[in-house]
Amino acid sequence: MGESITDGTLAAFLKKPGDRVEIDEPIAQVETDKVTIDVASPEAGIIREFIAKEGDTVEPGTKVAIILKSAEGAAAPPKKAPEEAVSQPPPVAEKEKRKDETAPVIEKPKPASPPPQPSRTSPSEPQLPPKDRERRVPMTRLRKRVATRLKDSQNTFALLTTFNEVDMTNLMKLRSEYKDAFLEKHGVKLGLMSGFVKAAVSGLQNQPIINAVIDGDDIIYRDYIDISIAVGTPKGLVVPVIRNAEKMNFAEIEKEINSLAKKAVNGTISIDEMAGGSFTISNGGVYGSLLSTPIINPPQSAILGMHSIVSRPMVVGGNIVPRPMMYIALTYDHRLIDGREAVFFLRRIKDVVEDPRRLLLDI
């Protein structure tokens, strides 16, 4: 499972007793705090029975199934079930029939009692929906882990959020003009996220305190920039990491983002690919979010929130013109980062995105 995982929940069996399995074929899935891991069969054969049950907490080395290397005995478990089904149900069915015969006599008076209840409720009391219209579903381990980490973030950090807005005209024009040539040379589409990653790298280099973290009474400054990208999946939020983003160009960033995003959605991303990270970017704009206050991903010290692009009237050169605008938000740990550094960082994001040529000239 990996050194950081000590146990998991047996989420589901992918096979049934009596099914044929091959070596390394997945037979079950274990859900951990971070990822869902396939349990592969070590041998080829027939599944005789499952020892563990779905929902059980299992540790590395726990036996979950018995596999017969030969087909002999595979039919044994099914034979027992029919015998028990034939011998046991008749008396149970007879008892149920006898109960049903007497049940109507006892239950008939009961319907007369509910009518008085509505009269007891006063007009001020809320009318709650019946329980049969509610569903109770256990939280997944991933969702519980996310909930714990986010609550710990609120309890530990002195969270403060500052905002700015970005004119996306030039970055969108750059993408429009070079998207075909970029795709032809690098084999990947040019998106907006790589521009924001490069802008974040530039901002973190200018304001290294935002890339740092508090450790006890010390401040740890990082001489590397690992950008975490928040990705929403059907099973919950995961945050894969782009390693050493300061050494990557636009094409390398786009390729890494696409690769990690596909793995995250398919559930094949590894724990190592989500470990660490010194700064997080969350793009709520893909879902249509106009503005939000993102929560820091512990143990990092800040997170950048991107939002949807909306055409708004802006004053440019004394004239009111429509511009594609995006609100950006930086939530930071005020224990470590002052408002001055946070505002300068966000201004650097704004300057680089609005004029990407600054990256070439390093100004």
Side-chain angles (χ1 to χ4, degrees), residues 1-40:
M1 279 188 175
E3 296 180 359
S4 62
I5 301 298
T6 57
D7 59 24
T9 300
L10 190 57
F13 285 110
L14 307 179
K15 298 289 184 178
K16 296 181 294 184
D19 288 353
R20 172 80 185 179
V21 293
E22 303 298 332
I23 297 178
D24 294 331
E25 183 178 359
I27 63 173
Q29 289 184 329
V30 173
E31 191 178 71
T32 70
D33 296 341
K34 299 179 180 179
V35 293
T36 299
I37 302 172
D38 288 335
V39 179

Side-chain angles (χ1 to χ4, degrees), residues 158-173:
L159 298 177
L160 185 61
T161 305
T162 184
F163 303 92
N164 212 319
E165 57 182 356
V166 179
D167 187 342
M168 300 294 294
T169 301
N170 290 331
L171 185 59
M172 294 175 68
K173 183 179 178 181

Side-chain angles (χ1 to χ4, degrees), residues 257-274:
I257 290 175
N258 288 345
S259 174
L260 293 173
K262 288 180 181 178
K263 290 181 179 180
V265 173
N266 296 334
T268 57
I269 192 167
S270 67
I271 296 173
D272 292 337
E273 290 172 320
M274 294 188 294

Side-chain angles (χ1 to χ4, degrees), residues 48 66 83 144 151-152 164 168 201 217 229 241 253 283 289 315 336:
R48 178 182 175 184
I66 296 177
E83 291 175 0
K144 287 191 288 187
K151 190 56 185 174
D152 288 345
N164 212 319
M168 300 294 294
V201 168
D217 295 331
I229 305 295
V241 180
I253 292 174
N283 185 9
S289 172
V315 179
L336 176 66

